[in-house]
Amino acid sequence: PDGTRFPVASNTKLMTSIIIFQLQEQGIIDIHDDVADHLTVEDFQKWGFPSMTKFCMSLYNDPSNTCQKITFEMLLGMTAGINGWTQQVIMELTPMYTNIATMFGLMFKMMSLAFVPGTEYLYSNQNYMLLGYFIEKFTGLELGVAYKTYIFNPLGMANSYFDRTNGLFAFDPLRTEEGFRYFLYDSATNTLPQQLGTGKCQGDLDTGSIGGAGGVISTLKDEATLYYCLFDMSYGDDGPNPHCPFNNSLAANNISAFNILSMASRQKIITPYAFASASPVVGTTYYAMGIEVSNNTGPYTSSIDAEIVVTGPPLAGPTPTSTDIIYPNYITYTGGFLCINTANFMALTSRVNGSITYMTQAYEAHGAMATTDVNAIADAQANEEASLYQLPSNMFTAYDATGIGFIIAQLINGTYY
């Protein structure tokens, strides 16, 4: 199952986050920096604004247009307040990938802030589009080359790459096919009594159009490698992780000799943002820095500058002391685009030392859709719209390039089961 390549969509965000933290470790940026301090007239010209002299984003309802401070950390944690725009809007602006600077410039024309940065949470791909631009700016590399240089090569992720044009100009025989199955929906019985047809699922939007927010193609095994290297917190900066095939000779100026990030950065990536008005709730999933975390055994609190602290008992292992860093029970993320869903789920054995119990992955490439109108199917197969309704995820089916079906894999101690 690990040989088929999938568009991992928003799982790309973790990779973007990793490189931003590597840039901090190299002293190029500090994630607390105001991003405006790192942007110049030359950048604005690349975005398509030759007369712009300053990066300034204001609240959507502020008549004074007062510039708000946005830090790299706020972009990473989706707390910058940047309004999100749908993939359809991006597609209408430019269906064909040009370059990240141009793509972000098109988005910037419509962007405003929904709230004062750092005070709330709002998921928006534009946060990571801008981070992707910064990666190209600071590394001098195209984003796909940066992923390869900073992450894929050092970790031996040979089946991962950044796809700028959704496979339009390059044939990948190991890439999964994508398709729809269409069903007649009976609202009276809430059932699907009849399959009406199948169709190829091909988005009109280039996956690379959203830059650092999506666009990587990868496999279950490569994604698992990334998770085991980053999130097995029982291995720090003082020795190798046997489940992490890190090759320091291929790394790009890493400060850690045993991983693509230092322990401090790895801990920060899984630190969720908690607001002064509300503490994290047990069983609720929170956005961290390109990843999501949750805890089912006790409330934890955190701030943008503090590590996770737990007031409840650990899931397993020794009782934590006041000096322990307590990790979340679960680290997870799901990327989705049209017919694709790629879910990674990792459980930690102990919230004190952060060792891994298991990892489960579920990747699908065949969306199921239902309609109450049989005649709508012909139109739907032609333009992928009409009066169709997305079914719950538990009604999805899937197929892949090797004909295996809905791919589910579980890893325990780095071994597939």
Side-chain angles (χ1 to χ4, degrees):
D2 57 306
T4 304
R5 298 185 182 121
F6 287 78
V8 298
S10 284
N11 282 293
T12 302
K13 291 181 173 67
L14 175 59
M15 302 170 194
T16 300
S17 179
I18 289 169
I19 298 181
I20 292 296
F21 275 93
Q22 287 178 326
L23 293 171
Q24 175 175 252
E25 291 181 353
Q26 295 169 21
I28 296 173
I29 63 166
D30 186 303
I31 62 171
H32 302 94
D33 289 347
D34 186 338
V35 298
D37 294 338
H38 292 274
L39 293 167
T40 66
V41 172
E42 182 180 356
D43 297 304
F44 309 140
Q45 290 174 344
K46 292 179 180 179
W47 295 358
F49 305 112
S51 61
M52 184 173 170
T53 60
K54 180 182 180 182
F55 179 80
C56 177
M57 293 196 67
S58 59
L59 299 176
Y60 74 96
N61 59 351
D62 180 9
S64 67
N65 293 321
T66 302
C67 300
Q68 300 289 328
K69 178 181 178 179
I70 298 175
T71 67
F72 290 100
E73 192 168 30
M74 293 173 187
L75 295 174
L76 289 165
M78 300 287 188
T79 63
I82 297 175
N83 282 312
W85 294 91
T86 65
Q87 294 168 337
Q88 181 67 27
V89 171
I90 301 174
M91 184 180 69
E92 290 173 354
L93 287 170
T94 173
M96 181 64 71
Y97 177 90
T98 52
N99 58 66
I100 288 177
T102 300
M103 297 303 298
F104 182 77
L106 290 167
M107 288 290 96
F108 187 73
K109 293 178 180 179
M110 300 184 296
M111 283 163 47
S112 61
L113 300 179
F115 48 79
V116 175
T119 62
E120 297 183 48
Y121 165 84
L122 177 62
Y123 187 94
S124 170
N125 281 325
Q126 281 64 36
N127 290 281
Y128 277 74
M129 289 177 71
L130 181 53
L131 290 170
Y133 175 78
F134 275 116
I135 288 174
E136 291 198 337
K137 174 183 172 70
F138 294 133
T139 65
L141 303 172
E142 288 187 352
L143 188 58
V145 178
Y147 288 139
K148 184 176 181 179
T149 302
Y150 283 78
I151 301 174
F152 302 155
N153 284 351
L155 294 185
M157 296 170 61
N159 285 299
S160 299
Y161 61 92
F162 181 69
D163 181 14
R164 298 189 302 170
T165 57
N166 202 23
L168 185 61
F169 300 113
F171 174 67
D172 181 351
L174 293 180
R175 179 168 172 169
T176 185
E177 296 180 7
E178 302 171 44
F180 277 120
R181 294 175 67 191
Y182 299 99
F183 295 88
L184 181 67
Y185 174 66
D186 186 340
S187 59
T189 61
N190 194 31
T191 60
L192 304 173
Q194 181 182 357
Q195 180 173 317
L196 300 172
T198 60
K200 183 175 175 58
C201 179
Q202 178 66 47
D204 293 325
L205 172 66
D206 293 337
T207 51
S209 296
I210 52 176
V216 166
I217 311 298
S218 191
T219 64
L220 286 90
K221 187 173 183 178
D222 276 6
E223 283 282 289
T225 294
L226 184 63
Y227 269 63
Y228 267 81
C229 288
L230 280 182
F231 302 133
D232 190 339
M233 297 300 181
S234 61
Y235 298 97
D237 295 330
D238 55 349
N241 175 347
H243 306 304
C244 177
F246 176 67
N247 186 335
N248 190 47
S249 66
L250 297 177
N253 300 318
N254 277 45
I255 66 169
S256 173
F258 304 104
N259 211 321
I260 53 173
L261 283 178
S262 67
M263 178 63 111
S265 293
R266 290 160 56 204
Q267 290 168 347
K268 190 65 176 178
I269 278 182
I270 59 172
T271 303
Y273 188 96
F275 306 106
S277 60
S279 297
V281 178
V282 175
T284 300
T285 298
Y286 291 91
Y287 200 89
M289 309 276 174
I291 201 73
E292 293 179 335
V293 296
S294 61
N295 167 31
N296 67 354
T297 60
Y300 57 78
T301 59
S302 67
S303 72
I304 216 158
D305 287 311
E307 304 300 345
I308 299 171
V309 179
V310 176
T311 58
L315 182 65
T319 302
T321 68
S322 60
T323 59
D324 285 324
I325 294 176
I326 310 302
Y327 299 106
N329 294 136
Y330 305 114
I331 300 171
T332 182
Y333 212 77
T334 300
F337 180 74
L338 289 181
C339 300
I340 287 288
N341 279 284
T342 54
N344 297 303
F345 181 91
M346 175 167 277
L348 301 186
T349 300
S350 170
R351 286 165 55 202
V352 176
N353 65 25
S355 59
I356 295 171
T357 305
Y358 64 88
M359 180 177 183
T360 297
Q361 298 166 280
Y363 287 25
E364 64 174 346
H366 195 172
M369 303 193 79
T371 180
T372 56
D373 180 8
V374 176
N375 296 323
I377 289 298
D379 292 334
Q381 288 178 318
N383 56 31
E384 299 175 4
E385 40 188 61
S387 57
L388 297 173
Y389 304 91
Q390 191 75 37
L391 292 175
S393 59
N394 61 359
M395 302 184 78
F396 280 4
T397 59
Y399 69 89
D400 69 273
T402 58
I404 294 172
F406 185 34
I407 295 180
I408 300 178
Q410 186 173 59
L411 292 88
I412 300 176
N413 295 326
T415 302
Y416 276 99
Y417 289 87

